[in-house]
PDB file of all heavy atoms in Angstrom:
ATOM      1  N   VAL A 483      27.125 -13.923  23.032  1.00  0.00           N
ATOM      2  CA  VAL A 483      27.079 -13.737  21.566  1.00  0.00           C
ATOM      3  C   VAL A 483      26.155 -12.544  21.308  1.00  0.00           C
ATOM      4  O   VAL A 483      25.024 -12.495  21.782  1.00  0.00           O
ATOM      5  CB  VAL A 483      26.558 -15.008  20.857  1.00  0.00           C
ATOM      6  CG1 VAL A 483      26.317 -14.721  19.388  1.00  0.00           C
ATOM      7  CG2 VAL A 483      27.558 -16.137  21.022  1.00  0.00           C
ATOM      8  N   LYS A 484      26.692 -11.597  20.551  1.00  0.00           N
ATOM      9  CA  LYS A 484      25.943 -10.358  20.309  1.00  0.00           C
ATOM     10  C   LYS A 484      25.459 -10.253  18.853  1.00  0.00           C
ATOM     11  O   LYS A 484      26.109 -10.795  17.951  1.00  0.00           O
ATOM     12  CB  LYS A 484      26.821  -9.145  20.621  1.00  0.00           C
ATOM     13  CG  LYS A 484      27.230  -9.063  22.113  1.00  0.00           C
ATOM     14  CD  LYS A 484      28.167  -7.900  22.313  1.00  0.00           C
ATOM     15  CE  LYS A 484      28.552  -7.760  23.780  1.00  0.00           C
ATOM     16  NZ  LYS A 484      29.561  -6.681  23.952  1.00  0.00           N
ATOM     17  N   PHE A 485      24.349  -9.558  18.693  1.00  0.00           N
ATOM     18  CA  PHE A 485      23.800  -9.316  17.370  1.00  0.00           C
ATOM     19  C   PHE A 485      23.445  -7.824  17.261  1.00  0.00           C
ATOM     20  O   PHE A 485      23.022  -7.219  18.246  1.00  0.00           O
ATOM     21  CB  PHE A 485      22.460 -10.073  17.185  1.00  0.00           C
ATOM     22  CG  PHE A 485      22.550 -11.560  17.181  1.00  0.00           C
ATOM     23  CD1 PHE A 485      22.729 -12.274  18.363  1.00  0.00           C
ATOM     24  CD2 PHE A 485      22.416 -12.267  15.999  1.00  0.00           C
ATOM     25  CE1 PHE A 485      22.788 -13.662  18.351  1.00  0.00           C
ATOM     26  CE2 PHE A 485      22.478 -13.663  15.964  1.00  0.00           C
ATOM     27  CZ  PHE A 485      22.660 -14.353  17.156  1.00  0.00           C
ATOM     28  N   GLY A 486      23.597  -7.270  16.075  1.00  0.00           N
ATOM     29  CA  GLY A 486      23.177  -5.909  15.838  1.00  0.00           C
ATOM     30  C   GLY A 486      22.629  -5.804  14.417  1.00  0.00           C
ATOM     31  O   GLY A 486      22.948  -6.642  13.560  1.00  0.00           O
ATOM     32  N   ALA A 487      21.844  -4.784  14.155  1.00  0.00           N
ATOM     33  CA  ALA A 487      21.239  -4.660  12.830  1.00  0.00           C
ATOM     34  C   ALA A 487      20.802  -3.240  12.540  1.00  0.00           C
ATOM     35  O   ALA A 487      20.398  -2.498  13.453  1.00  0.00           O
ATOM     36  CB  ALA A 487      20.033  -5.579  12.667  1.00  0.00           C
ATOM     37  N   ILE A 488      20.902  -2.820  11.295  1.00  0.00           N
ATOM     38  CA  ILE A 488      20.265  -1.600  10.805  1.00  0.00           C
ATOM     39  C   ILE A 488      19.467  -1.965   9.564  1.00  0.00           C
ATOM     40  O   ILE A 488      19.811  -2.896   8.838  1.00  0.00           O
ATOM     41  CB  ILE A 488      21.254  -0.452  10.472  1.00  0.00           C
ATOM     42  CG1 ILE A 488      22.321  -0.923   9.464  1.00  0.00           C
ATOM     43  CG2 ILE A 488      21.915   0.083  11.748  1.00  0.00           C
ATOM     44  CD1 ILE A 488      23.240   0.204   8.977  1.00  0.00           C
ATOM     45  N   ALA A 489      18.410  -1.211   9.340  1.00  0.00           N
ATOM     46  CA  ALA A 489      17.560  -1.482   8.189  1.00  0.00           C
ATOM     47  C   ALA A 489      16.885  -0.227   7.689  1.00  0.00           C
ATOM     48  O   ALA A 489      16.724   0.718   8.444  1.00  0.00           O
ATOM     49  CB  ALA A 489      16.489  -2.539   8.528  1.00  0.00           C
ATOM     50  N   LYS A 490      16.504  -0.216   6.419  1.00  0.00           N
ATOM     51  CA  LYS A 490      15.670   0.866   5.868  1.00  0.00           C
ATOM     52  C   LYS A 490      14.571   0.241   5.022  1.00  0.00           C
ATOM     53  O   LYS A 490      14.728  -0.860   4.472  1.00  0.00           O
ATOM     54  CB  LYS A 490      16.509   1.854   5.061  1.00  0.00           C
ATOM     55  CG  LYS A 490      17.181   1.358   3.832  1.00  0.00           C
ATOM     56  CD  LYS A 490      16.397   1.391   2.563  1.00  0.00           C
ATOM     57  CE  LYS A 490      15.779   2.734   2.296  1.00  0.00           C
ATOM     58  NZ  LYS A 490      15.055   2.651   0.963  1.00  0.00           N
ATOM     59  N   GLY A 491      13.463   0.957   4.937  1.00  0.00           N
ATOM     60  CA  GLY A 491      12.363   0.401   4.167  1.00  0.00           C
ATOM     61  C   GLY A 491      11.639   1.501   3.426  1.00  0.00           C
ATOM     62  O   GLY A 491      12.204   2.208   2.638  1.00  0.00           O
ATOM     63  N   SER A 492      10.392   1.642   3.698  1.00  0.00           N
ATOM     64  CA  SER A 492       9.504   2.742   3.265  1.00  0.00           C
ATOM     65  C   SER A 492       8.666   2.503   2.020  1.00  0.00           C
ATOM     66  O   SER A 492       7.533   2.127   2.134  1.00  0.00           O
ATOM     67  CB  SER A 492      10.212   4.061   3.230  1.00  0.00           C
ATOM     68  OG  SER A 492       9.392   4.971   3.925  1.00  0.00           O
ATOM     69  N   GLY A 493       9.178   2.723   0.807  1.00  0.00           N
ATOM     70  CA  GLY A 493       8.351   2.502  -0.392  1.00  0.00           C
ATOM     71  C   GLY A 493       8.802   1.264  -1.120  1.00  0.00           C
ATOM     72  O   GLY A 493       9.763   0.610  -0.708  1.00  0.00           O
ATOM     73  N   MET A 494       8.128   0.871  -2.216  1.00  0.00           N
ATOM     74  CA  MET A 494       8.461  -0.322  -2.973  1.00  0.00           C
ATOM     75  C   MET A 494       8.661  -1.510  -2.054  1.00  0.00           C
ATOM     76  O   MET A 494       9.667  -2.236  -2.153  1.00  0.00           O
ATOM     77  CB  MET A 494       9.733  -0.114  -3.784  1.00  0.00           C
ATOM     78  CG  MET A 494       9.517   0.487  -5.149  1.00  0.00           C
ATOM     79  SD  MET A 494      10.895   0.186  -6.249  1.00  0.00           S
ATOM     80  CE  MET A 494      10.538   1.339  -7.565  1.00  0.00           C
ATOM     81  N   ILE A 495       7.738  -1.670  -1.116  1.00  0.00           N
ATOM     82  CA  ILE A 495       7.916  -2.713  -0.119  1.00  0.00           C
ATOM     83  C   ILE A 495       6.968  -3.861  -0.369  1.00  0.00           C
ATOM     84  O   ILE A 495       5.748  -3.700  -0.255  1.00  0.00           O
ATOM     85  CB  ILE A 495       7.688  -2.125   1.294  1.00  0.00           C
ATOM     86  CG1 ILE A 495       8.726  -1.077   1.644  1.00  0.00           C
ATOM     87  CG2 ILE A 495       7.684  -3.234   2.337  1.00  0.00           C
ATOM     88  CD1 ILE A 495      10.126  -1.577   1.816  1.00  0.00           C
ATOM     89  N   ARG A 496       7.466  -4.971  -0.702  1.00  0.00           N
ATOM     90  CA  ARG A 496       6.677  -6.183  -0.917  1.00  0.00           C
ATOM     91  C   ARG A 496       7.542  -7.405  -0.684  1.00  0.00           C
ATOM     92  O   ARG A 496       8.750  -7.333  -0.727  1.00  0.00           O
ATOM     93  CB  ARG A 496       6.108  -6.230  -2.333  1.00  0.00           C
ATOM     94  CG  ARG A 496       4.984  -7.251  -2.397  1.00  0.00           C
ATOM     95  CD  ARG A 496       4.333  -7.281  -3.753  1.00  0.00           C
ATOM     96  NE  ARG A 496       5.191  -7.922  -4.743  1.00  0.00           N
ATOM     97  CZ  ARG A 496       4.702  -8.460  -5.854  1.00  0.00           C
ATOM     98  NH1 ARG A 496       3.418  -8.455  -6.071  1.00  0.00           N
ATOM     99  NH2 ARG A 496       5.502  -9.006  -6.732  1.00  0.00           N
ATOM    100  N   PRO A 497       6.876  -8.544  -0.486  1.00  0.00           N
ATOM    101  CA  PRO A 497       7.638  -9.754  -0.279  1.00  0.00           C
ATOM    102  C   PRO A 497       8.715  -9.950  -1.311  1.00  0.00           C
ATOM    103  O   PRO A 497       8.739  -9.294  -2.333  1.00  0.00           O
ATOM    104  CB  PRO A 497       6.582 -10.853  -0.462  1.00  0.00           C
ATOM    105  CG  PRO A 497       5.419 -10.182  -1.047  1.00  0.00           C
ATOM    106  CD  PRO A 497       5.456  -8.796  -0.563  1.00  0.00           C
TER     107      PRO A 497
END
Side-chain angles (χ1 to χ4, degrees):
Chain A
V483 171
K484 297 177 178 175
F485 294 76
I488 55 174
K490 64 86 53 177
S492 229
M494 273 200 194
I495 296 292
R496 196 177 73 156

